[in-house]
Amino acid sequence: MNIKEPDLSDLHLLVTVAATGSIGQAATALQLTQPCASRRLASLERSLKVQVLQRGPRGTTLTPNGRVVVDWAATLLRATEQFTNSVSALGQMRNASLNVAVSMTIAEYYAPNWLAKVRTADPDTAVTLSMANSYDVITMVESGRVDIGLVECPQIRDSVKSQSFGIDELAVAVLPDHEWARPNRSVTPEELVNTDLLVRERGSGTRETLDQALAATGLTVSPSLELASNTALKSAALAGMGPVVLPAIAMSRELDTGQLIEVDILDLSLSRPLSIVWSDAAKFSNEAGLLLLKTAREDRRTRSRAPRLEKIAS
């Protein structure tokens, strides 16, 4: 005997009749009119091809078959509720959590602003942040320790997928009394590599950008000091230890106040892309990941400095 698949809302109505003891009370509990409830129950019985209710002068009672059907219906409704709640929780876990590794420069100068905006746009989003140099960030993405990485290096390993979302620029800076700080003074790449230079450690996006830019001119830097901290290198430069190569954003306050002077380096491009890297497309494209990427793209600080210089010149 073939029966029509019952509507879950009709089964809910039947279970409510069994719980309240009457069609009228069940209709009130479910905000239905009694005639509507009666028609739906009659239709349910026809579709099941089983009489489940016994109607009489003293009210409505369950038939023996009806009690069995109600037990089965209650089990089905509980399973449906559990399924719905589980899927909802799964979606929330996927969309509201993100493990991100970021390079040191991004962590210090960009990420706090981005995460604040993500939090404002979606308070339920939880982002776990890890910091490392660009080389180690990509390694963390490769191993699956994090969902996505944010790096600032000119080249990215083929083992991960990547997408550029902005530009970050390095600057060479000296104290105001340094000979390179004289007005209209330009420095050649050869002069740069032959001085006591303060630079980031190998593996950082900053160092990789500098090394590749110099390699394009056939030169190699021999630094006097390598440190894995933008702040420490900046302090060394302010202490007079020599010219420093750092992200311009890391020295923005010192450059604006004149504590450090940016040096013009001839024929040397020190721009590098800001990129998001991932290995699992599902993790990259979830709601939290896309929101973070959108926020990073909208940050005006990740645009080239050239337009600002042109505006000042005009």
Side-chain angles (χ1 to χ4, degrees):
M1 177 178 62
N2 295 325
I3 65 171
K4 182 181 178 181
E5 184 175 316
D7 188 291
L8 291 177
S9 61
D10 289 343
L11 292 180
H12 186 204
L13 173 58
L14 175 62
V15 171
T16 305
V17 170
T20 59
S22 75
I23 296 177
Q25 291 185 52
T28 300
L30 299 178
Q31 297 183 334
L32 299 171
T33 64
Q34 184 165 339
C36 176
S38 296
R39 288 195 299 270
R40 286 175 54 177
L41 289 168
S43 175
L44 176 63
E45 287 182 309
R46 287 194 299 271
S47 66
L48 295 177
K49 296 182 170 39
V50 173
Q51 184 179 358
V52 295
L53 296 173
Q54 182 68 51
R55 300 164 180 81
R58 296 184 179 179
T60 302
T61 58
L62 292 171
T63 66
N65 285 340
R67 286 192 289 272
V68 174
V69 170
V70 165
D71 287 342
W72 289 344
T75 300
L76 177 60
L77 291 172
R78 283 194 298 271
T80 301
E81 182 179 10
Q82 182 179 6
F83 171 80
T84 302
N85 292 339
S86 298
V87 171
S88 176
L90 181 63
Q92 290 175 3
M93 284 170 27
R94 183 193 67 214
N95 292 329
S97 64
L98 192 69
N99 293 320
V100 185
V102 298
S103 64
M104 300 300 292
T105 297
I106 291 177
E108 290 183 73
Y109 302 102
Y110 292 109
N113 185 53
W114 297 345
L115 294 179
K117 290 185 177 181
V118 168
R119 183 69 175 172
T120 300
D122 185 0
D124 294 329
T125 296
V127 180
T128 301
L129 203 64
S130 303
M131 293 180 288
N133 65 34
S134 292
Y135 180 91
D136 292 334
V137 167
I138 295 175
T139 300
M140 293 168 74
V141 173
E142 286 175 327
S143 67
R145 289 170 55 193
V146 297
D147 299 329
I148 61 175
L150 299 174
V151 297
E152 12 78 352
C153 50
Q155 289 188 336
I156 296 173
R157 301 197 288 271
D158 294 336
S159 56
V160 295
K161 299 178 179 64
S162 66
Q163 182 177 332
S164 174
F165 61 83
I167 297 293
D168 182 64
E169 296 188 44
L170 306 187
V172 179
V174 296
L175 290 176
D177 59 356
H178 193 281
E179 62 171 323
W180 291 357
R182 295 199 306 267
N184 303 318
R185 175 74 157 90
S186 294
V187 173
T188 66
E190 288 79 10
E191 289 179 287
L192 185 67
V193 300
N194 288 322
T195 193
D196 292 332
L197 205 59
L198 313 179
V199 300
R200 282 289 303 273
E201 80 289 2
R202 292 186 182 277
S204 67
T206 300
R207 179 62 177 277
E208 185 179 345
T209 301
L210 175 63
D211 286 347
Q212 288 198 16
L214 290 172
T217 66
L219 299 172
T220 303
V221 66
S222 297
S224 65
L225 180 65
E226 296 183 25
L227 292 174
S229 165
N230 292 331
T231 301
L233 280 174
K234 183 168 59 177
S235 296
L238 290 169
M241 293 184 65
V244 66
V245 182
L246 282 175
I249 192 172
M251 301 184 291
S252 59
R253 182 173 60 183
E254 289 74 18
L255 294 175
D256 288 344
T257 60
Q259 292 175 275
L260 291 174
I261 304 298
E262 184 172 355
V263 178
D264 178 37
I265 308 297
L266 295 172
D267 303 320
L268 196 68
S269 174
L270 293 177
S271 296
R272 74 270 184 84
L274 297 173
S275 301
I276 185 169
V277 297
W278 71 95
S279 60
D280 186 328
K283 291 180 179 179
F284 163 68
S285 61
N286 74 9
E287 185 175 338
L290 294 178
L291 180 57
L292 179 59
L293 177 59
K294 178 177 181 292
T295 302
R297 279 178 171 166
E298 292 174 349
D299 191 338
R300 294 181 180 179
R301 298 172 302 166
T302 64
R303 302 297 177 260
S304 171
R305 297 164 64 211
R308 294 207 301 271
L309 295 177
E310 290 171 1
K311 184 176 180 180
I312 293 173
S314 63

